[in-house]
Amino acid sequence: MKRIFFYILLGLTTLGIAGAATVFGLYVWVSKDLPNVAAISDVHLPQTSIVYARDNSIIGYFSKERRFLVNLDNMAPKLHMAFLAMEDARFYEHQGVDPVAIVRAFVANLRTGRTGQGGSTITQQLIKRMLLKDSSKKYTRKAKEAILAYRLEKHLTKNEILYLYLNEIYLGNSAYGVEAAARTYFGKHAKDLTLAECAVLGGLPQAPSENNPYSQPENTRKRQLLVLGRMLEVGAITQAEHDEAAQQPLEYKRMPDPSWSVGSWYLEEVRRQSIAFFNKENLEQLNIPFGMYGEEAIYEGGLHIHTAMDPIHQKSAEIALRDGLHEACKRRGWRGPLEHLPADQHEEFLKQHPFSPADLENAGWVKALVTKVGKDGAEVRLGAYKGFIAMSTMGWARKPNTNISPEAAGQARDPSKILAPGDVVWVSAIGAFGVTNPVSYPAQVGGRRADVPQYAAADVTPEKAIPLALEQVPDLQGAVASIDVEKGDLVAIAGGYEFSPESQFNRATQAKRQPGSSFKPIVYSTALDNGFTAGSILLDSPFVLPAGGGGKMWKPGNFDGKFLGPILLRTALAKSRNVCTVRVAQQVGMANIVQRAHDLGIPGDIPPVLAVSLGSYEATPQVMAEAYTAFANGGEYIKPRIITSIQNSWGEPLVNFEPDRRQAISPQNAYIMSYLLKEVVNAGTATRATVLRRPVAGKTGTSNDERDAWFIGFSPYLVTSVYVGYDNNTPMGRMETGGRASLPIFIKYRQLVDPLFPPTDFRAPDGISFARIDALTGYIAGAGGGDAYNLPFMTGTTPQLVTGEALQRGDDDVQSGVDLLKQ
């Protein structure tokens, strides 16, 4: 008997040793090539980068995975318990693997006859997602998970593991982590969630799409009650808390995402500049500790990017540009309906284009189907509703004709010449902001005029026709770039009529167009440093120049085709006389003018030819605005900043940016130029801007054949460049000048933003004196009754008071010059 017992014991011992050896061998085999759990501490969770305006409001996000890292302390107290109750109730008790959960899952699977339930802990789930990419349920993978989970529990604390899990997990609707989910489903932060809302999120990990709160609310509700039941079962909540949460109504809503709405052009420029900044060489040179580069840094780095964009300026620029382009296109007439449908397609169109009266709020446009045209206007259908486009709103809708003839204008008095039954057109509601009276705006952007009837969706019924205005999407494009002079901030960029995935070309920063006469201040600034003064007499009379290279002779002309004879330099700039500008450029030398243009930040190889003095060289609206900062800012040129600072995901500073400032011209030169450019507004080509009732300087510009229209205006606090033109560089039509196409956009923008600034004027620096100058002679005016102007001069350049013979001699000199030029 003892011998038998001995052999049994020996056999069991041998089997135990063999089993242990087998287990050890399997452990060694499974452990082979396992990743180091220490690497999980260095695993980067892709995070959303946030872009802020200069008032710290959020203007957009950059991300591949919608994720915002949040500490456990910044989560609702019961949020992590909702996940633990469903996924790993014994999380704080096990060492990475929970035998109890494994046995429970094994029994449940035997009972159901399928392997639908697992016993993985949260630690194992984290290992699977972050270290083991194999998602199958093979035993070898499970063994690897268990080994790594045990190791991870030795490397990280329980709360560190839970932090990674709650920030890494996918919870549906492009939301990664609990913070993104809280914003996606409840429009709030994770720390503000109620117990009822925590239970909703806690029920999502297993099947986010099947329990989607938006598409499967019934499933979501069942799952929420299951989570609350489990939380009660494991003691995470009391019965009273359970009952209260179960009865709480759920409201699903997304946190508003401002991305690519207001400020889309600006946001895209920030994106481009950020990607360019985060290159390896740049970060190493600046000693910036950040391990990602290019798009990876922007889309996964969780950066906090602070910008110089001012939301009021940006929205104002976009409103002004869009309305200005609408008006410019209406001057060119009606291009026709969007499409024309036969009668048998009318009902199908109305079904495919459902309409709600709210669609017309806030100056909204909708598509309407014309059903009848009479002498007073056109009847239209909008879904189940009716509308009427009165003839009085269609006065602009003649056929496109750059030279408006009486015949073309007469077409606008007959609705049948404009619309026909079956036409599909854009319409807006009469009374909506920006439609009834697009010229005058309230100071607060987004407000409404009090003196016009307002469109109210609540008052609309299917039986009553909605008063409508005919609309047309502009085919013109334009741009606005605006710089806060004091801070050196590019506060607004509007790069076109509308930003979309199909049209992201930013005309403010990328479109190089001829600035026309808005280049002339550079010529006259050069002249002031080369013997000319504001009181110099210039000859506005015809003359001929050789074109060079054996070409034809060039005879500069003025826009109006007229010549004014001897005039002051002040008048030549205010009235934008081309001939005078070419004479000045010829005398001071184009090499000096090119150098001045470079000093004012205009880049490139500018050809030193006289045609450049009239603006034949191409530049972007932003570059032209930057050039004018020296005139507004005492001669100091400003290269403005778009990004002001960048922090990492924890708010630690990485880099700060400052505007590039340098003295480009003397303060005296800048002051005289600002004074002369105020005369452009007060008595020159930009008198419309006097409606602002503030000190404003600026210059209109129009290239040949009205292909490009400009206005660059400034005050001591703000420089704004406005450009209008076709992308294909075709002419805009007769009289579509800078003063007509671009200046109104500038005015509307300034009407909206000027209340942000005190009405300050330019201050004269030391070295400036004033004198009253006779408009005919350029001398100090005597007691006579001729025209005279009070003009600024640099010290030592003020004309002398002369009378009698000397005055006559001066007049003779002027006349001799005129006679010589006529020969």
Side-chain angles (χ1 to χ4, degrees):
M1 191 67 181
K2 291 182 179 181
R3 183 181 297 271
I4 294 173
F5 177 77
F6 172 77
Y7 284 118
I8 292 174
L9 181 63
L10 180 62
L12 290 174
T13 302
T14 303
L15 287 173
I17 295 173
T22 301
V23 169
F24 179 77
L26 287 172
Y27 173 81
V28 172
W29 176 68
V30 171
S31 299
K32 186 179 181 181
D33 298 327
L34 282 180
N36 188 343
V37 294
I40 206 168
S41 302
D42 300 323
V43 169
H44 170 70
L45 294 177
Q47 301 175 59
T48 299
S49 291
I50 308 174
V51 184
Y52 303 87
R54 71 175 184 176
D55 65 354
N56 283 327
S57 61
I58 296 175
I59 62 175
Y61 301 100
F62 299 138
S63 67
K64 290 183 177 178
E65 292 183 0
R66 190 82 160 174
R67 178 185 284 112
F68 307 90
L69 295 188
V70 58
N71 288 321
L72 295 179
D73 292 340
N74 287 322
M75 299 179 192
K78 300 294 185 181
L79 180 58
H80 71 284
M81 293 304 302
F83 284 87
L84 293 180
M86 291 299 293
E87 302 297 322
D88 191 356
R90 288 168 38 82
F91 174 73
Y92 284 102
E93 301 172 26
H94 61 67
Q95 298 296 311
V97 178
D98 187 0
V100 174
I102 293 173
V103 171
R104 183 175 64 246
F106 178 75
V107 172
N109 292 335
L110 284 178
R111 187 179 299 134
T112 60
R114 56 188 179 87
T115 58
Q117 188 174 136
S120 295
T121 64
I122 277 180
T123 311
Q124 288 175 279
Q125 292 181 41
L126 191 64
I127 290 293
K128 180 173 67 175
R129 289 190 178 95
M130 300 184 71
L131 292 182
L132 297 176
K133 301 303 181 182
D134 181 9
S135 60
S136 66
K137 295 187 177 181
K138 296 178 181 178
Y139 293 114
T140 54
R141 181 187 61 78
K142 286 291 186 180
K144 291 180 179 180
E145 277 183 19
I147 294 170
L148 290 173
Y150 179 79
R151 292 178 180 178
L152 184 62
E153 293 267 352
K154 302 300 182 184
H155 181 70
L156 297 178
T157 66
K158 287 288 187 179
N159 282 350
E160 288 172 339
I161 293 171
L162 189 58
Y163 159 81
L164 286 173
Y165 173 80
L166 292 176
N167 281 286
E168 189 275 340
I169 191 168
Y170 178 66
L171 296 172
N173 276 287
S174 301
Y176 291 81
V178 293
E179 174 67 18
R183 298 183 185 200
T184 298
Y185 298 120
F186 299 108
K188 58 177 65 173
H189 296 288
K191 64 183 178 64
D192 300 320
L193 294 171
T194 65
L195 173 58
E197 293 164 345
C198 291
V200 170
L201 300 192
L204 292 175
Q206 293 300 323
S209 59
E210 294 178 12
N211 300 305
N212 187 322
Y214 292 113
S215 62
Q216 305 289 340
E218 293 183 0
N219 289 356
T220 304
R221 173 63 172 164
K222 293 177 182 178
R223 190 73 176 169
Q224 179 214 27
L225 294 176
L226 179 61
V227 174
L228 289 172
R230 280 289 297 155
M231 293 180 74
L232 177 63
E233 182 182 337
V234 300
I237 57 175
T238 65
Q239 184 69 52
E241 288 175 323
H242 170 277
D243 296 345
E244 181 181 357
Q247 294 174 10
Q248 180 182 330
L250 295 170
E251 180 184 0
Y252 300 119
K253 62 179 181 180
R254 296 177 185 272
M255 184 176 288
D257 184 350
S259 301
W260 314 112
S261 52
V262 173
S264 297
W265 302 105
Y266 207 108
L267 193 59
E268 172 62 14
E269 194 64 26
V270 170
R271 188 190 71 85
R272 283 198 292 260
Q273 289 197 12
S274 299
I275 291 173
F277 176 79
F278 277 89
N279 65 76
K280 186 174 183 180
E281 180 180 351
N282 197 37
L283 296 187
E284 289 178 352
Q285 183 177 351
L286 297 174
N287 194 28
I288 295 176
F290 201 74
M292 291 182 284
Y293 310 102
E295 290 192 359
E296 180 189 11
I298 306 309
Y299 287 100
E300 300 182 20
L303 299 169
H304 296 272
I305 305 172
H306 295 266
T307 75
M309 190 265 266
D310 185 292
I312 294 179
H313 283 268
Q314 183 65 37
K315 188 172 183 180
S316 300
E318 292 179 13
I319 288 173
L321 179 61
R322 287 175 66 88
D323 286 350
L325 295 178
H326 286 159
E327 293 304 304
C329 283
K330 284 183 177 180
R331 288 194 294 270
R332 291 185 55 80
W334 175 241
R335 299 196 305 273
L338 300 173
E339 59 179 321
H340 181 83
L341 301 176
D344 60 355
Q345 296 182 19
H346 288 190
E347 291 304 320
E348 182 63 26
F349 171 83
L350 294 172
K351 290 179 181 178
Q352 293 178 357
H353 294 81
F355 168 77
S356 166
D359 295 338
L360 288 170
E361 290 186 334
N362 299 315
W365 289 14
V366 297
K367 289 181 179 180
L369 175 67
V370 178
T371 57
K372 183 179 179 180
V373 178
K375 64 178 182 179
D376 296 325
E379 298 177 11
V380 302
R381 288 276 305 279
L382 309 93
Y385 291 79
K386 299 183 296 184
F388 185 75
I389 307 172
M391 185 62 242
S392 60
T393 71
M394 292 189 283
W396 60 272
R398 54 183 172 78
K399 288 184 178 180
N401 188 337
T402 56
N403 297 295
I404 303 174
S405 65
E407 294 78 13
Q411 294 167 359
R413 293 191 288 270
D414 183 354
S416 66
K417 300 289 186 180
I418 304 167
L419 299 174
D423 285 349
V424 177
V425 298
W426 286 112
V427 295
S428 62
I430 297 294
F433 176 67
V435 174
T436 300
N437 187 342
V439 176
S440 179
Y441 287 88
Q444 183 164 350
V445 179
R448 291 178 176 273
R449 290 175 55 86
D451 58 340
V452 295
Q454 299 302 322
Y455 171 81
D459 299 333
V460 177
T461 63
E463 294 76 26
K464 186 177 180 180
I466 305 171
L468 300 170
L470 183 66
E471 299 290 356
Q472 179 173 248
V473 175
D475 52 354
L476 268 177
Q477 284 292 351
V480 176
S482 198
I483 301 170
D484 181 324
V485 174
E486 179 182 356
K487 296 182 179 179
D489 288 347
L490 187 63
V491 291
I493 303 172
Y497 174 74
E498 185 174 29
F499 184 93
S500 68
E502 295 77 28
S503 177
Q504 298 180 13
F505 180 63
N506 191 333
R507 294 156 190 87
T509 61
Q510 296 174 296
K512 293 184 177 181
R513 304 301 289 263
Q514 292 188 7
S517 294
S518 61
F519 188 88
K520 288 177 181 176
I522 297 171
V523 176
Y524 286 95
S525 173
T526 309
L528 293 178
D529 289 339
N530 286 273
F532 285 83
T533 71
S536 294
I537 292 291
L538 305 180
L539 297 173
D540 185 20
S541 59
F543 74 116
V544 177
L545 291 167
K552 295 180 179 180
M553 303 297 283
W554 180 39
K555 185 179 180 179
N558 294 315
F559 181 79
D560 59 6
K562 301 176 182 179
F563 299 93
L564 304 180
I567 57 175
L568 294 175
L569 182 146
R570 168 260 178 207
T571 305
L573 182 54
K575 302 294 184 182
S576 198
R577 309 308 288 176
N578 291 344
V579 172
C580 294
T581 305
V582 174
R583 290 188 188 280
V584 170
Q586 187 180 35
Q587 186 164 338
V588 304
M590 281 305 301
N592 289 327
I593 293 171
V594 168
Q595 183 57 53
R596 177 57 50 90
H598 287 319
D599 292 342
L600 295 175
I602 298 180
D605 186 14
I606 305 174
V609 296
L610 287 173
V612 168
S613 69
L614 300 181
S616 64
Y617 182 74
E618 296 179 339
T620 67
Q622 181 183 337
V623 164
M624 291 303 298
E626 292 170 359
Y628 274 57
T629 58
F631 303 141
N633 194 40
E636 186 181 64
Y637 163 83
I638 302 172
K639 179 72 174 177
R641 57 186 179 174
I642 289 181
I643 301 172
T644 58
S645 65
I646 302 177
Q647 288 87 42
N648 64 17
S649 59
W650 300 112
E652 299 166 339
L654 293 177
V655 61
N656 293 316
F657 298 92
E658 295 295 334
D660 178 15
R661 299 175 179 267
R662 53 182 170 80
Q663 199 70 29
I665 56 178
S666 70
Q668 294 77 21
N669 186 299
Y671 178 77
I672 294 174
M673 287 305 304
S674 68
Y675 190 94
L676 294 176
L677 291 171
K678 281 200 300 182
E679 291 296 278
V680 175
V681 173
N682 295 331
T685 59
T687 54
R688 289 186 182 184
T690 56
V691 71
L692 295 173
R693 300 184 183 280
R694 285 189 175 218
V696 176
K699 186 69 187 74
T700 53
T702 311
S703 65
N704 289 340
D705 300 321
E706 290 85 23
R707 298 175 188 272
D708 309 290
W710 295 72
F711 183 75
I712 308 172
F714 61 96
S715 294
Y717 46 84
L718 194 66
V719 176
T720 305
S721 175
V722 178
Y723 155 78
V724 173
Y726 284 107
D727 284 343
N728 61 8
N729 205 31
T730 58
M732 290 183 287
R734 182 172 174 266
M735 299 304 296
E736 287 299 326
T737 62
R740 192 182 194 198
S742 296
L743 179 58
I745 297 172
F746 171 83
I747 293 170
K748 292 177 185 180
Y749 166 71
R750 285 291 299 263
Q751 284 175 328
L752 291 169
V753 302
D754 268 354
L756 301 175
F757 302 94
T760 54
D761 201 350
F762 303 94
R763 297 181 60 182
D766 294 337
I768 290 291
S769 58
F770 279 82
R772 187 169 175 79
I773 302 301
D774 184 275
L776 179 62
T777 66
Y779 294 127
I780 291 181
D787 291 338
Y789 301 97
N790 195 40
L791 299 177
F793 295 88
M794 297 182 196
T795 300
T797 65
T798 307
Q800 300 299 309
L801 176 63
V802 294
T803 58
E805 182 180 345
L807 181 58
Q808 181 62 50
R809 187 167 58 251
D811 291 344
D812 291 343
D813 290 343
V814 170
Q815 186 59 49
S816 297
V818 173
D819 294 339
L820 180 62
L821 289 163
K822 286 181 178 179
Q823 295 176 5

